[in-house]
Amino acid sequence: GHVTERLRQIHARVCTLRQVPTIEALEEASPPPLAISSADLELGELSILSQLRPWELDLLADLAPPLEYSDRQVLCHQGMPGEVCFLIVRGAVDISKATVDGPEHLATLERGALVGQMALVDGAERSATVRARGKTVALSLARKDFQDLLDKNNSLALHFQELTAVAGIRQLRNAN
């Protein structure tokens, strides 16, 4: 909660200082990502998921179906409500922020990265746009599903809660 609130405050301050629009102009509509099978993804080999038991990996694959994005396809837009968190299983994503001078590249995140994790916490507006770099496969965990697991004190939700906190702290360090 505290980390999320601090990140939101920093984002608001940066937008004010740069006079950045809060919602990026949406480009032409792109086709939806392609749903694919999780059978050959070997989720347990990702370091971020290596501590999960087989039944937890199966549950994750059921709740967060793998989606394949084509090169430059948008996973989420800056300014839109955060409804899902992404776990990059294959490929990479570019993170960019709209500024008055045009898009600013912030980072490239690769296989095993958690992206948009604050959507699991508060569902606030996205602070950046996430775009596939080459063919990319990502699991998409919806906030509602995460909250349902959390309400049941499910070990998978507790693991993702810890991952979210760690990722938030890293982002806060980078923002400062």
Side-chain angles (χ1 to χ4, degrees), residues 97-163:
K97 181 180 268 319
T99 69
V100 293
D101 299 324
E104 178 183 339
H105 182 266
L106 300 177
T108 298
L109 300 177
E110 298 182 352
R111 182 177 191 263
L114 198 59
V115 182
Q117 68 278 2
M118 289 184 3
L120 298 180
V121 178
D122 64 9
E125 288 182 359
R126 300 284 188 183
S127 60
T129 294
V130 179
R131 192 179 297 271
R133 175 178 269 203
K135 188 183 286 187
T136 299
V137 175
L139 300 182
S140 56
L141 179 60
R143 181 171 193 250
K144 179 194 175 307
D145 293 332
F146 173 73
Q147 290 298 325
D148 289 346
L149 287 178
L150 207 52
D151 291 344
K152 295 173 185 169
N153 215 17
N154 183 286
S155 58
L156 178 60
L158 299 176
H159 181 74
F160 263 82
Q161 192 174 39
E162 180 182 335
L163 293 175

Side-chain angles (χ1 to χ4, degrees), residues 9-26:
Q9 289 172 355
I10 288 173
H11 171 68
R13 202 168 346 144
V14 168
C15 287
T16 300
L17 291 173
R18 290 186 178 175
Q19 299 177 356
V20 175
T22 55
I23 296 181
E24 178 180 25
L26 297 179

Side-chain angles (χ1 to χ4, degrees), residues 55-113:
W55 70 267
E56 291 170 314
L57 291 170
D58 290 342
L59 177 60
L60 178 60
D62 287 343
L63 289 177
L67 301 173
E68 184 177 88
Y69 296 85
S70 57
D71 187 37
R72 309 269 314 132
Q73 188 172 5
V74 173
L75 282 70
C76 61
H77 279 282
Q78 177 180 337
M80 300 305 291
E83 298 171 358
V84 298
C85 169
F86 301 96
L87 174 61
I88 307 306
V89 178
R90 288 188 185 144
V93 293
D94 287 320
I95 314 297
S96 63
K97 181 180 268 319
T99 69
V100 293
D101 299 324
E104 178 183 339
H105 182 266
L106 300 177
T108 298
L109 300 177
E110 298 182 352
R111 182 177 191 263

